[in-house]
Amino acid sequence: MSTTAEMSLPPEWNDDERMNFMFSEFKENRDVNTTDWDSKMDFWTALIMRSCRRRGSVIVNLQDLNKTFQRKEKTPLGLSTVIQTMARCGKIQRESEFAASVDCGWVSWSVGMLLVKPLKWTFSTLLGSNRVPLEESFVVIELVKEKATELLKVYRSSDFSSCSVVSFQELCTLSSNICADESTLCMALLQLQKDKQVIVSLHEGEKIVKFCQLGQDRVSPFGDIDIGIYQLQRSEKLLEERVQKLNLEADRCKEEARILLRDGKKTQALRCLRGRKRVEKRADSLFAKLETIRGILERIAQSQTDKMVMQAYQAGVSALRMSLKDVTVERAENLVDQIQELCDTQDEVNQTISSGVAAADEDMDELEKELKALLDESEPDVNTSGLPAVPTNRLGPTSEQTLSSLPDVPRGHLHVTTDALEEELNRLTLSEAGSPQRKATSPGRRAEAAQ
Protein backbone atom coordinates (compact mmCIF):
# COMPACT_ATOMS: atom_id res chain seq x y z
CA MET A 1 0.00 0.00 0.00
CA SER A 2 1.33 3.43 -0.96
CA THR A 3 1.71 6.36 1.39
CA THR A 4 0.13 9.80 1.12
CA ALA A 5 3.40 11.23 -0.19
CA GLU A 6 3.01 9.13 -3.34
CA MET A 7 -0.57 10.13 -4.16
CA SER A 8 -2.47 13.30 -4.95
CA LEU A 9 -4.12 14.66 -1.83
CA PRO A 10 -6.94 17.23 -1.55
CA PRO A 11 -6.00 20.86 -0.73
CA GLU A 12 -7.46 20.69 2.79
CA TRP A 13 -4.94 17.98 3.73
CA ASN A 14 -2.56 20.73 4.88
CA ASP A 15 -5.23 22.46 6.95
CA ASP A 16 -4.66 21.24 10.54
CA GLU A 17 -8.02 22.40 11.84
CA ARG A 18 -9.91 20.78 8.99
CA MET A 19 -7.89 17.56 9.24
CA ASN A 20 -8.44 17.33 13.00
CA PHE A 21 -12.15 17.17 12.24
CA MET A 22 -11.66 14.62 9.42
CA PHE A 23 -9.46 12.37 11.59
CA SER A 24 -11.93 12.36 14.47
CA GLU A 25 -14.54 9.66 15.15
CA PHE A 26 -17.96 9.80 13.55
CA LYS A 27 -20.91 10.69 15.73
CA GLU A 28 -22.93 7.63 16.65
CA ASN A 29 -26.10 9.33 15.51
CA ARG A 30 -25.93 10.90 12.06
CA ASP A 31 -29.05 12.98 12.70
CA VAL A 32 -27.19 15.14 15.24
CA ASN A 33 -25.38 17.00 12.45
CA THR A 34 -26.05 15.49 9.03
CA THR A 35 -24.02 18.12 7.14
CA ASP A 36 -20.76 17.44 9.00
CA TRP A 37 -21.35 13.69 9.01
CA ASP A 38 -21.99 13.55 5.25
CA SER A 39 -19.09 15.88 4.37
CA LYS A 40 -16.67 13.69 6.34
CA MET A 41 -18.06 10.52 4.73
CA ASP A 42 -17.80 11.98 1.19
CA PHE A 43 -14.22 13.10 1.87
CA TRP A 44 -12.96 9.66 2.91
CA THR A 45 -14.99 7.78 0.28
CA ALA A 46 -13.52 9.88 -2.56
CA LEU A 47 -10.01 9.56 -1.10
CA ILE A 48 -10.27 5.76 -0.88
CA MET A 49 -11.46 5.52 -4.51
CA ARG A 50 -8.63 7.80 -5.65
CA SER A 51 -6.05 5.70 -3.80
CA CYS A 52 -7.31 2.46 -5.37
CA ARG A 53 -7.30 3.91 -8.89
CA ARG A 54 -3.76 5.16 -8.50
CA ARG A 55 -2.55 1.75 -7.34
CA GLY A 56 -4.55 -0.11 -9.99
CA SER A 57 -6.09 -2.33 -7.33
CA VAL A 58 -9.72 -3.16 -6.59
CA ILE A 59 -9.24 -4.57 -3.08
CA VAL A 60 -8.93 -2.57 0.16
CA ASN A 61 -8.64 -3.42 3.86
CA LEU A 62 -8.63 -1.35 7.02
CA GLN A 63 -5.03 -2.07 7.91
CA ASP A 64 -3.65 -0.76 4.62
CA LEU A 65 -5.94 2.27 4.69
CA ASN A 66 -4.69 3.26 8.15
CA LYS A 67 -1.11 3.15 6.87
CA THR A 68 -1.91 5.01 3.68
CA PHE A 69 -3.74 7.93 5.27
CA GLN A 70 -1.48 8.44 8.26
CA ARG A 71 -0.77 12.14 8.88
CA LYS A 72 1.65 13.53 11.43
CA GLU A 73 1.76 10.15 13.16
CA LYS A 74 -2.03 10.19 13.48
CA THR A 75 -4.37 7.57 12.06
CA PRO A 76 -7.97 8.34 10.99
CA LEU A 77 -10.39 7.10 13.63
CA GLY A 78 -13.47 6.88 11.44
CA LEU A 79 -12.29 4.61 8.60
CA SER A 80 -14.10 1.61 10.09
CA THR A 81 -17.36 3.56 9.91
CA VAL A 82 -16.55 4.59 6.35
CA ILE A 83 -16.03 0.96 5.26
CA GLN A 84 -19.25 -0.16 6.92
CA THR A 85 -21.21 2.66 5.28
CA MET A 86 -19.73 1.93 1.85
CA ALA A 87 -20.63 -1.74 2.28
CA ARG A 88 -24.23 -0.88 3.19
CA CYS A 89 -24.49 1.38 0.14
CA GLY A 90 -23.20 -1.37 -2.15
CA LYS A 91 -20.00 0.46 -3.12
CA ILE A 92 -17.81 -2.28 -1.65
CA GLN A 93 -18.37 -5.94 -0.84
CA ARG A 94 -16.52 -8.53 1.19
CA GLU A 95 -14.18 -10.54 -0.96
CA SER A 96 -15.73 -13.86 0.07
CA GLU A 97 -19.25 -12.61 -0.59
CA PHE A 98 -18.19 -11.31 -3.98
CA ALA A 99 -16.68 -14.69 -4.92
CA ALA A 100 -19.67 -16.62 -3.58
CA SER A 101 -22.08 -14.44 -5.58
CA VAL A 102 -20.88 -15.95 -8.87
CA ASP A 103 -21.49 -19.70 -8.74
CA CYS A 104 -20.17 -22.76 -7.00
CA GLY A 105 -17.73 -23.61 -9.76
CA TRP A 106 -15.74 -20.48 -9.09
CA VAL A 107 -15.58 -20.47 -5.32
CA SER A 108 -13.15 -23.38 -4.94
CA TRP A 109 -10.36 -22.15 -7.18
CA SER A 110 -10.79 -18.43 -6.40
CA VAL A 111 -10.84 -18.94 -2.63
CA GLY A 112 -7.77 -21.18 -2.69
CA MET A 113 -5.88 -18.90 -5.01
CA LEU A 114 -6.64 -15.68 -3.18
CA LEU A 115 -5.99 -17.15 0.30
CA VAL A 116 -9.22 -15.78 1.67
CA LYS A 117 -10.65 -16.67 5.05
CA PRO A 118 -14.34 -17.36 4.51
CA LEU A 119 -14.76 -19.03 7.90
CA LYS A 120 -13.57 -15.94 9.76
CA TRP A 121 -15.76 -13.70 7.64
CA THR A 122 -18.76 -15.92 8.20
CA PHE A 123 -18.29 -15.84 11.97
CA SER A 124 -18.00 -12.07 11.89
CA THR A 125 -21.22 -11.79 9.95
CA LEU A 126 -23.16 -14.29 12.06
CA LEU A 127 -22.11 -12.73 15.35
CA GLY A 128 -23.30 -9.33 14.14
CA SER A 129 -20.07 -7.58 15.11
CA ASN A 130 -19.85 -3.88 14.12
CA ARG A 131 -16.08 -4.00 14.16
CA VAL A 132 -14.25 -4.46 10.86
CA PRO A 133 -11.23 -6.78 11.11
CA LEU A 134 -8.04 -5.05 10.07
CA GLU A 135 -7.05 -7.67 7.50
CA GLU A 136 -10.51 -8.24 6.05
CA SER A 137 -10.47 -7.44 2.33
CA PHE A 138 -13.24 -5.66 0.45
CA VAL A 139 -13.82 -5.38 -3.28
CA VAL A 140 -14.63 -1.94 -4.74
CA ILE A 141 -17.51 -2.73 -7.09
CA GLU A 142 -17.09 0.26 -9.41
CA LEU A 143 -13.39 -0.37 -9.92
CA VAL A 144 -13.73 -4.12 -10.48
CA LYS A 145 -16.26 -3.46 -13.26
CA GLU A 146 -13.83 -1.06 -14.91
CA LYS A 147 -11.02 -3.64 -14.72
CA ALA A 148 -13.27 -6.31 -16.19
CA THR A 149 -14.12 -4.11 -19.15
CA GLU A 150 -10.45 -3.28 -19.73
CA LEU A 151 -9.42 -6.94 -19.49
CA LEU A 152 -11.99 -8.01 -22.09
CA LYS A 153 -10.89 -5.20 -24.40
CA VAL A 154 -7.21 -6.14 -24.10
CA TYR A 155 -7.96 -9.81 -24.83
CA ARG A 156 -9.96 -9.01 -27.98
CA SER A 157 -7.23 -6.72 -29.31
CA SER A 158 -4.43 -9.26 -28.70
CA ASP A 159 -3.15 -12.27 -30.64
CA PHE A 160 -5.08 -14.54 -28.26
CA SER A 161 -8.41 -13.30 -29.64
CA SER A 162 -8.37 -16.13 -32.18
CA CYS A 163 -8.18 -18.62 -29.29
CA SER A 164 -11.31 -18.94 -27.22
CA VAL A 165 -9.41 -20.78 -24.45
CA VAL A 166 -6.40 -19.17 -22.75
CA SER A 167 -4.31 -20.41 -19.85
CA PHE A 168 -4.35 -18.41 -16.64
CA GLN A 169 -0.61 -17.77 -16.79
CA GLU A 170 -0.86 -16.39 -20.31
CA LEU A 171 -3.69 -14.16 -19.14
CA CYS A 172 -1.56 -12.88 -16.26
CA THR A 173 1.15 -11.87 -18.72
CA LEU A 174 -1.39 -10.29 -21.05
CA SER A 175 -3.02 -8.20 -18.30
CA SER A 176 0.17 -7.11 -16.52
CA ASN A 177 -0.37 -3.48 -17.54
CA ILE A 178 -3.98 -3.48 -16.32
CA CYS A 179 -4.09 -5.56 -13.15
CA ALA A 180 -1.57 -4.64 -10.49
CA ASP A 181 -1.54 -8.14 -8.99
CA GLU A 182 -3.06 -11.57 -9.36
CA SER A 183 -5.86 -10.78 -6.90
CA THR A 184 -7.04 -7.90 -9.08
CA LEU A 185 -7.04 -10.19 -12.13
CA CYS A 186 -9.09 -12.78 -10.26
CA MET A 187 -11.66 -10.18 -9.22
CA ALA A 188 -11.92 -8.95 -12.81
CA LEU A 189 -12.47 -12.54 -13.98
CA LEU A 190 -15.14 -13.02 -11.32
CA GLN A 191 -16.93 -9.92 -12.61
CA LEU A 192 -16.72 -11.20 -16.18
CA GLN A 193 -18.10 -14.52 -14.95
CA LYS A 194 -21.06 -12.63 -13.49
CA ASP A 195 -21.57 -10.92 -16.83
CA LYS A 196 -21.43 -14.33 -18.62
CA GLN A 197 -18.41 -13.24 -20.66
CA VAL A 198 -15.88 -15.82 -19.39
CA ILE A 199 -15.85 -19.19 -17.70
CA VAL A 200 -12.95 -20.76 -15.80
CA SER A 201 -12.12 -24.43 -15.45
CA LEU A 202 -9.32 -26.73 -14.38
CA HIS A 203 -7.55 -29.01 -16.86
CA GLU A 204 -4.82 -31.33 -15.60
CA GLY A 205 -4.26 -29.04 -12.61
CA GLU A 206 -3.98 -25.93 -14.78
CA LYS A 207 -6.50 -23.09 -14.73
CA ILE A 208 -7.88 -22.23 -18.15
CA VAL A 209 -10.20 -19.38 -19.14
CA LYS A 210 -12.71 -19.42 -21.97
CA PHE A 211 -13.82 -16.05 -23.37
CA CYS A 212 -17.01 -15.13 -25.14
CA GLN A 213 -16.32 -14.57 -28.84
CA LEU A 214 -17.51 -11.67 -30.95
CA GLY A 215 -21.07 -12.07 -32.12
CA GLN A 216 -22.07 -14.08 -29.03
CA ASP A 217 -24.14 -12.72 -26.16
CA ARG A 218 -22.71 -15.08 -23.57
CA VAL A 219 -19.95 -17.63 -23.28
CA SER A 220 -20.82 -21.27 -23.83
CA PRO A 221 -19.79 -23.95 -21.28
CA PHE A 222 -16.58 -25.92 -21.72
CA GLY A 223 -16.87 -28.90 -24.06
CA ASP A 224 -14.67 -31.64 -25.42
CA ILE A 225 -14.00 -29.57 -28.53
CA ASP A 226 -12.70 -26.67 -26.43
CA ILE A 227 -10.41 -28.97 -24.45
CA GLY A 228 -9.15 -30.63 -27.65
CA ILE A 229 -8.39 -27.29 -29.30
CA TYR A 230 -6.59 -26.11 -26.17
CA GLN A 231 -4.44 -29.25 -26.12
CA LEU A 232 -3.55 -28.79 -29.79
CA GLN A 233 -2.61 -25.17 -29.18
CA ARG A 234 -0.49 -26.09 -26.21
CA SER A 235 1.23 -28.84 -28.23
CA GLU A 236 1.88 -26.35 -31.00
CA LYS A 237 3.63 -23.97 -28.60
CA LEU A 238 5.72 -26.76 -27.08
CA LEU A 239 6.82 -27.98 -30.50
CA GLU A 240 7.67 -24.43 -31.58
CA GLU A 241 9.86 -24.01 -28.51
CA ARG A 242 11.63 -27.36 -29.10
CA VAL A 243 12.22 -26.67 -32.79
CA GLN A 244 13.66 -23.29 -31.92
CA LYS A 245 16.01 -24.84 -29.33
CA LEU A 246 17.15 -27.50 -31.80
CA ASN A 247 17.87 -24.89 -34.44
CA LEU A 248 19.97 -22.95 -31.95
CA GLU A 249 21.83 -26.14 -31.03
CA ALA A 250 22.48 -26.92 -34.70
CA ASP A 251 23.89 -23.42 -35.23
CA ARG A 252 26.09 -23.87 -32.17
CA CYS A 253 27.48 -27.17 -33.50
CA LYS A 254 28.20 -25.59 -36.85
CA GLU A 255 30.05 -22.67 -35.27
CA GLU A 256 32.00 -25.04 -33.01
CA ALA A 257 33.02 -27.18 -36.01
CA ARG A 258 34.26 -24.07 -37.82
CA ILE A 259 36.41 -23.11 -34.81
CA LEU A 260 37.86 -26.64 -34.50
CA LEU A 261 38.62 -26.79 -38.20
CA ARG A 262 40.41 -23.47 -37.95
CA ASP A 263 42.52 -24.87 -35.13
CA GLY A 264 43.36 -27.92 -37.22
CA LYS A 265 41.23 -30.37 -35.23
CA LYS A 266 39.56 -32.02 -38.16
CA THR A 267 38.34 -35.14 -36.31
CA GLN A 268 36.56 -33.15 -33.62
CA ALA A 269 35.10 -30.84 -36.28
CA LEU A 270 33.66 -33.86 -38.11
CA ARG A 271 32.15 -35.08 -34.86
CA CYS A 272 30.46 -31.71 -34.35
CA LEU A 273 29.11 -31.81 -37.89
CA ARG A 274 27.66 -35.28 -37.29
CA GLY A 275 25.99 -34.00 -34.15
CA ARG A 276 24.64 -31.06 -36.14
CA LYS A 277 23.12 -33.45 -38.69
CA ARG A 278 21.39 -35.44 -35.93
CA VAL A 279 20.00 -32.28 -34.39
CA GLU A 280 18.74 -31.02 -37.75
CA LYS A 281 17.09 -34.37 -38.40
CA ARG A 282 15.27 -34.18 -35.06
CA ALA A 283 14.29 -30.58 -35.78
CA ASP A 284 12.89 -31.57 -39.18
CA SER A 285 10.87 -34.36 -37.61
CA LEU A 286 9.41 -32.06 -34.97
CA PHE A 287 8.75 -29.40 -37.59
CA ALA A 288 6.76 -31.92 -39.68
CA LYS A 289 4.65 -32.73 -36.61
CA LEU A 290 4.24 -29.02 -35.95
CA GLU A 291 2.98 -28.46 -39.47
CA THR A 292 0.49 -31.29 -39.02
CA ILE A 293 -0.88 -29.72 -35.86
CA ARG A 294 -1.08 -26.33 -37.53
CA GLY A 295 -2.98 -27.88 -40.43
CA ILE A 296 -5.47 -29.44 -37.99
CA LEU A 297 -5.96 -26.11 -36.21
CA GLU A 298 -6.49 -24.35 -39.51
CA ARG A 299 -9.11 -26.89 -40.51
CA ILE A 300 -10.85 -26.48 -37.17
CA ALA A 301 -10.85 -22.72 -37.59
CA GLN A 302 -12.18 -23.13 -41.12
CA SER A 303 -14.91 -25.47 -39.92
CA GLN A 304 -15.93 -22.96 -37.28
CA THR A 305 -16.05 -20.28 -39.94
CA ASP A 306 -18.12 -22.55 -42.17
CA LYS A 307 -20.47 -23.22 -39.28
CA MET A 308 -20.88 -19.52 -38.67
CA VAL A 309 -21.54 -18.92 -42.37
CA MET A 310 -24.13 -21.71 -42.43
CA GLN A 311 -25.85 -20.20 -39.42
CA ALA A 312 -25.85 -16.84 -41.16
CA TYR A 313 -27.30 -18.45 -44.30
CA GLN A 314 -29.99 -20.13 -42.24
CA ALA A 315 -30.88 -16.88 -40.52
CA GLY A 316 -30.94 -15.10 -43.88
CA VAL A 317 -33.24 -17.73 -45.43
CA SER A 318 -35.60 -17.49 -42.47
CA ALA A 319 -35.66 -13.71 -42.65
CA LEU A 320 -36.21 -13.77 -46.42
CA ARG A 321 -39.01 -16.29 -46.05
CA MET A 322 -40.71 -14.09 -43.47
CA SER A 323 -40.28 -10.95 -45.58
CA LEU A 324 -41.74 -12.70 -48.67
CA LYS A 325 -44.59 -14.28 -46.77
CA ASP A 326 -47.30 -12.06 -48.31
CA VAL A 327 -45.55 -11.46 -51.66
CA THR A 328 -46.77 -13.35 -54.76
CA VAL A 329 -46.28 -13.01 -58.52
CA GLU A 330 -49.96 -12.18 -59.06
CA ARG A 331 -49.81 -9.44 -56.46
CA ALA A 332 -46.66 -8.03 -58.04
CA GLU A 333 -48.31 -7.99 -61.49
CA ASN A 334 -51.37 -6.31 -60.03
CA LEU A 335 -49.22 -3.63 -58.44
CA VAL A 336 -47.37 -3.05 -61.72
CA ASP A 337 -50.70 -2.66 -63.57
CA GLN A 338 -51.90 -0.17 -60.97
CA ILE A 339 -48.68 1.79 -61.31
CA GLN A 340 -49.09 1.87 -65.11
CA GLU A 341 -52.70 3.06 -64.81
CA LEU A 342 -51.67 5.81 -62.42
CA CYS A 343 -48.89 6.89 -64.80
CA ASP A 344 -51.38 7.04 -67.69
CA THR A 345 -53.79 9.06 -65.59
CA GLN A 346 -51.03 11.48 -64.70
CA ASP A 347 -50.09 11.88 -68.38
CA GLU A 348 -53.72 12.69 -69.27
CA VAL A 349 -53.93 15.23 -66.48
CA ASN A 350 -50.73 16.88 -67.66
CA GLN A 351 -52.02 16.96 -71.24
CA THR A 352 -55.28 18.55 -70.13
CA ILE A 353 -53.49 21.18 -68.15
CA SER A 354 -51.18 21.96 -71.07
CA SER A 355 -54.12 22.32 -73.53
CA GLY A 356 -55.88 24.73 -71.19
CA VAL A 357 -52.83 26.93 -71.13
CA ALA A 358 -52.61 26.90 -74.98
CA ALA A 359 -56.26 28.00 -75.28
CA ALA A 360 -55.54 30.86 -72.95
CA ASP A 361 -52.59 31.84 -75.14
CA GLU A 362 -54.85 31.79 -78.24
CA ASP A 363 -57.35 34.06 -76.50
CA MET A 364 -54.53 36.48 -75.76
CA ASP A 365 -53.54 36.51 -79.45
CA GLU A 366 -57.12 37.33 -80.49
CA LEU A 367 -57.30 40.12 -77.93
CA GLU A 368 -54.05 41.61 -79.20
CA LYS A 369 -55.38 41.54 -82.81
CA GLU A 370 -58.59 43.28 -81.72
CA LEU A 371 -56.58 45.92 -79.87
CA LYS A 372 -54.44 46.54 -82.96
CA ALA A 373 -57.59 46.97 -85.06
CA LEU A 374 -58.90 49.58 -82.65
CA LEU A 375 -55.62 51.46 -82.87
CA ASP A 376 -55.82 51.41 -86.68
CA GLU A 377 -59.36 52.85 -86.60
CA SER A 378 -58.28 55.69 -84.37
CA GLU A 379 -55.58 56.84 -86.87
CA PRO A 380 -56.58 59.29 -89.80
CA ASP A 381 -57.58 57.54 -93.04
CA VAL A 382 -54.96 58.48 -95.66
CA ASN A 383 -55.81 57.26 -99.20
CA THR A 384 -52.70 56.12 -100.91
CA SER A 385 -54.42 54.17 -103.68
CA GLY A 386 -53.68 56.91 -106.25
CA LEU A 387 -49.96 56.78 -105.73
CA PRO A 388 -47.89 54.66 -108.07
CA ALA A 389 -46.38 51.52 -106.66
CA VAL A 390 -42.72 51.56 -105.79
CA PRO A 391 -40.85 49.25 -108.11
CA THR A 392 -39.13 46.46 -106.24
CA ASN A 393 -37.48 44.69 -109.11
CA ARG A 394 -34.98 45.80 -111.62
CA LEU A 395 -36.39 47.33 -114.84
CA GLY A 396 -37.16 44.72 -117.44
CA PRO A 397 -38.12 45.00 -121.12
CA THR A 398 -41.78 45.65 -120.34
CA SER A 399 -40.92 48.47 -118.00
CA GLU A 400 -38.70 50.03 -120.65
CA GLN A 401 -41.58 49.94 -123.19
CA THR A 402 -43.87 51.63 -120.67
CA LEU A 403 -41.35 54.38 -120.08
CA SER A 404 -40.87 54.88 -123.80
CA SER A 405 -44.62 55.56 -124.23
CA LEU A 406 -44.46 58.50 -121.85
CA PRO A 407 -44.11 62.04 -123.35
CA ASP A 408 -40.66 63.44 -123.62
CA VAL A 409 -39.37 65.74 -120.94
CA PRO A 410 -39.33 69.33 -122.24
CA ARG A 411 -35.80 70.40 -122.89
CA GLY A 412 -36.35 74.03 -123.89
CA HIS A 413 -36.44 77.10 -121.68
CA LEU A 414 -39.72 77.53 -119.78
CA HIS A 415 -41.11 81.05 -119.99
CA VAL A 416 -42.65 81.20 -116.52
CA THR A 417 -42.99 84.47 -114.74
CA THR A 418 -42.85 85.02 -111.05
CA ASP A 419 -46.46 86.19 -110.87
CA ALA A 420 -47.72 83.09 -112.58
CA LEU A 421 -45.83 80.86 -110.11
CA GLU A 422 -47.24 82.72 -107.11
CA GLU A 423 -50.76 82.42 -108.51
CA GLU A 424 -50.31 78.67 -109.08
CA LEU A 425 -48.97 78.28 -105.54
CA ASN A 426 -51.94 80.07 -104.05
CA ARG A 427 -54.32 77.95 -106.05
CA LEU A 428 -52.66 74.74 -104.90
CA THR A 429 -52.80 75.89 -101.33
CA LEU A 430 -56.51 76.65 -101.53
CA SER A 431 -57.16 73.35 -103.29
CA GLU A 432 -55.31 71.30 -100.58
CA ALA A 433 -57.21 73.06 -97.86
CA GLY A 434 -60.52 72.15 -99.47
CA SER A 435 -59.76 68.48 -100.29
CA PRO A 436 -57.17 66.42 -98.35
CA GLN A 437 -57.16 63.77 -101.06
CA ARG A 438 -56.22 66.06 -103.92
CA LYS A 439 -54.57 64.39 -106.85
CA ALA A 440 -51.07 65.40 -107.76
CA THR A 441 -50.62 67.63 -110.83
CA SER A 442 -48.23 66.47 -113.45
CA PRO A 443 -45.26 68.65 -114.37
CA GLY A 444 -46.58 69.05 -117.91
CA ARG A 445 -49.85 70.65 -116.79
CA ARG A 446 -48.10 73.00 -114.42
CA ALA A 447 -45.95 74.11 -117.28
CA GLU A 448 -49.03 74.74 -119.50
CA ALA A 449 -50.73 76.71 -116.78
CA ALA A 450 -47.67 78.78 -116.37
CA GLN A 451 -47.67 79.62 -120.09
Side-chain angles (χ1 to χ4, degrees), residues 56 147 150-151 172 175-182 184-186 188:
K147 292 296 180 182
E150 292 178 4
L151 179 60
C172 288
S175 62
S176 59
N177 295 330
I178 299 175
C179 301
D181 48 34
E182 193 171 298
T184 303
L185 174 60
C186 291

Side-chain angles (χ1 to χ4, degrees), residues 70 108 198 203 250 266 402:
Q70 191 173 10
S108 58
V198 302
H203 174 67
K266 185 177 180 180
T402 304

